[in-house]
């Protein structure tokens, strides 16, 4: 049997990703502080936008909903979405605020530190009445993070978009994507991230986010299951080089990671989530079928792994054939 037949096909249903898109400035040299960096490369980023492009890169249908500055960077980002096959009819432009910027340092181990320029940036100024509700209603999956909850009016736009998506029968997918420097305090971050917890059908957290949200330093089943809520269909915990853990009402387990030479972890979680959503969008019964779910998670783990082998998120997001090649090599 051909390898690609072993995995559920990429779906044709629309996945709408809501939130921020920005420019990351990444140092030309790894393992130095921002002050020591000799220069920076600009890289498009923002977790929800990365997820949308990850979906499109493996052949899925994606749209992005958010606000950009009516400036060169904003139009560049909208252009990058379109070039990557992501629908951009959910984007509005703000004439009074700039597109957000983030300076990112890559530590020697490939992990990141952030310094943000958003005071306020255009993404924070999206108003509920600016939402493309028809686009949201046409989605099968509505995906979002928590950065859009930090300030008004974007918070109200986020809550409205979720409500409209839920009423339209979308699967609600939530990756909190914790960025502590953007929140007024850790307590406020925890409170707001958890304020919409029980609305989501699917939640993905990293090991670091699990520790932050539970206040426990254990990455174990008890800790993960303390985040379970009755409406949840799937809870995922990504544990970097140790792969991913999954929890549903009826079963739980873990799927091993693929071992690659990691250069930059930016976008790995977004790649994981985007590929998972693209594989379940047309057939959500996969969430209740452990063998098929494990195959999808194996595929998603491979997507995440490949994304760490190049600098930047969007250039590193894999095509489906790259994923099958890695899986084939690893099972050889």
């Amino acid at each position: 049997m051909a390898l690609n037949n072993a995995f559920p096909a990429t779906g044709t249903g629309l996945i709408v990703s809501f939130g921020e898109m920005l420019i990351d400035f990444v140092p030309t040299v790894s393992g130095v502080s921002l002050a020591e960096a000799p220069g920076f490369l600009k890289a498009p980023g923002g977790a929800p936008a990365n997820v949308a492009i990850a979906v499109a890169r493996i052949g899925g249908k994606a749209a992005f909903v958010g606000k950009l500055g009516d400036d060169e960077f904003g139009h560049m980002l909208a252009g990058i979405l379109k070039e990557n096959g992501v629908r951009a009819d959910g984007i509005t432009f703000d004439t009074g605020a700039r597109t957000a910027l983030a300076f990112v340092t890559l530590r020697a181990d490939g992990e990141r530190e952030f310094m943000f320029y958003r005071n306020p940036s255009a993404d924070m100024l999206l108003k509920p009445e600016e939402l493309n509700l028809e686009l949201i209603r046409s989605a099968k999956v509505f995906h979002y993070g928590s950065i859009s909850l930090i300030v008004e009016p974007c918070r109200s736009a986020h809550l409205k978009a979720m409500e409209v998506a839920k009423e339209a029968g979308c699967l609600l997918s939530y990756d909190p994507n914790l960025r502590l420097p953007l929140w007024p305090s850790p307590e406020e971050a925890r409170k707001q991230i958890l304020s919409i917890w029980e609305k989501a059908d699917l939640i993905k957290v990293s090991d670091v986010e699990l520790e932050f949200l539970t206040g426990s330093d254990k990455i174990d089943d008890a800790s993960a299951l303390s985040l379970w809520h009755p409406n949840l269909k799937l809870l995922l915990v990504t544990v970097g080089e140790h792969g991913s853990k999954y929890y549903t009402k009826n079963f739980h387990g873990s799927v091993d990671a693929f071992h690659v030479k990691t250069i930059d972890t930016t976008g790995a979680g977004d790649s994981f989530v985007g590929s998972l959503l693209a594989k379940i969008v047309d057939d959500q019964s996969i969430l209740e079928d452990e063998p098929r779910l494990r195959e999808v998670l194996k595929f998603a783990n491979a997507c995440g792994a490949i994304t760490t082998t190049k600098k930047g998120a969007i250039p590193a997001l894999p095509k489906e054939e790259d994923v099958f090649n890695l899986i084939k090599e690893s099972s050889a």
Side-chain angles (χ1 to χ4, degrees), residues 3 258 299 302 306 319-332:
L3 182 61
F258 289 84
F299 184 92
I306 292 168
K319 292 191 168 83
E320 201 158 50
E321 69 234 41
D322 305 329
V323 183
F324 291 137
N325 288 340
L326 175 62
I327 293 169
K328 215 183 293 177
E329 283 164 23
S330 301
S331 57

Side-chain angles (χ1 to χ4, degrees), residues 198-218:
E198 303 206 346
K199 301 261 199 283
D201 300 299
L202 186 156
I203 295 174
K204 174 251 162 196
V205 290
S206 69
D207 45 3
V208 173
E209 288 158 350
L210 178 67
E211 289 177 331
F212 174 76
L213 292 170
T214 60
S216 161
D217 57 0
K218 291 192 170 67

Side-chain angles (χ1 to χ4, degrees), residues 97-248:
R98 295 285 190 211
T99 300
L101 309 178
F103 284 83
V104 185
T105 55
L106 280 180
R107 298 200 316 243
D109 61 1
E111 288 297 331
R112 298 154 301 156
E113 289 166 5
F114 297 88
M115 183 166 79
F116 293 92
Y117 283 70
R118 310 165 83 227
N119 56 342
S121 54
D123 59 287
M124 300 157 75
L125 301 177
L126 179 67
K127 301 185 187 84
E129 59 270 24
E130 293 173 319
L131 291 167
N132 182 336
L133 298 180
E134 283 315 298
L135 178 64
I136 293 167
R137 287 189 186 107
S138 69
K140 287 275 196 305
V141 172
F142 182 70
H143 176 77
Y144 47 89
S146 71
I147 289 172
S148 37
L149 294 173
I150 299 173
V151 291
E152 292 290 2
C154 186
R155 178 181 163 77
S156 290
H158 180 138
L159 297 175
K160 170 80 174 170
M162 272 174 57
E163 184 190 323
V164 167
K166 193 79 172 169
E167 280 168 8
C170 297
L171 180 91
L172 264 52
S173 164
Y174 184 22
D175 176 357
N177 197 44
L178 178 68
R179 295 284 178 268
L180 268 181
L182 293 178
W183 290 91
S185 68
E187 295 69 34
E188 181 69 6
R190 194 177 290 110
K191 180 182 153 195
Q192 295 302 344
I193 286 170
L194 293 173
S195 71
I196 58 167
W197 201 256
E198 303 206 346
K199 301 261 199 283
D201 300 299
L202 186 156
I203 295 174
K204 174 251 162 196
V205 290
S206 69
D207 45 3
V208 173
E209 288 158 350
L210 178 67
E211 289 177 331
F212 174 76
L213 292 170
T214 60
S216 161
D217 57 0
K218 291 192 170 67
I219 312 294
D220 58 14
D221 294 343
S223 185
L225 286 167
S226 72
L227 294 176
W228 184 263
H229 70 75
N231 305 320
L232 202 50
K233 293 178 178 168
L234 178 63
L235 172 65
L236 295 162
V237 181
T238 55
V239 274
E241 63 199 31
H242 302 296
S244 52
K245 297 169 180 268
Y246 58 89
Y247 302 87
T248 73

Side-chain angles (χ1 to χ4, degrees), residues 261-314:
K261 188 175 180 340
T262 294
I263 290 169
D264 176 8
T265 58
T266 309
D270 306 326
S271 179
F272 172 87
V273 148
S275 56
L276 168 91
L277 294 177
K279 292 295 179 189
I280 64 161
V281 62
D282 287 358
D283 185 1
Q284 293 174 24
S285 71
I286 290 170
L287 301 177
E288 294 157 28
D289 180 342
E290 189 169 13
R292 286 161 75 216
L293 179 62
R294 288 183 65 86
E295 288 300 315
V296 168
L297 290 172
K298 184 178 179 180
F299 184 92
N301 280 356
C303 283
I306 292 168
T307 309
T308 71
T309 60
K310 282 188 199 165
K311 267 195 185 175
I314 291 167

Side-chain angles (χ1 to χ4, degrees), residues 21-22 43-46 49-50 53-54 57 77 80-81 84 266-267 307 311-318:
M21 188 175 192
L22 61 149
N50 293 342
I53 293 174
R57 193 69 57 87
L77 292 175
I80 285 166
L81 287 170
N84 281 281
T266 309
T307 309
K311 267 195 185 175
I314 291 167
L317 296 169

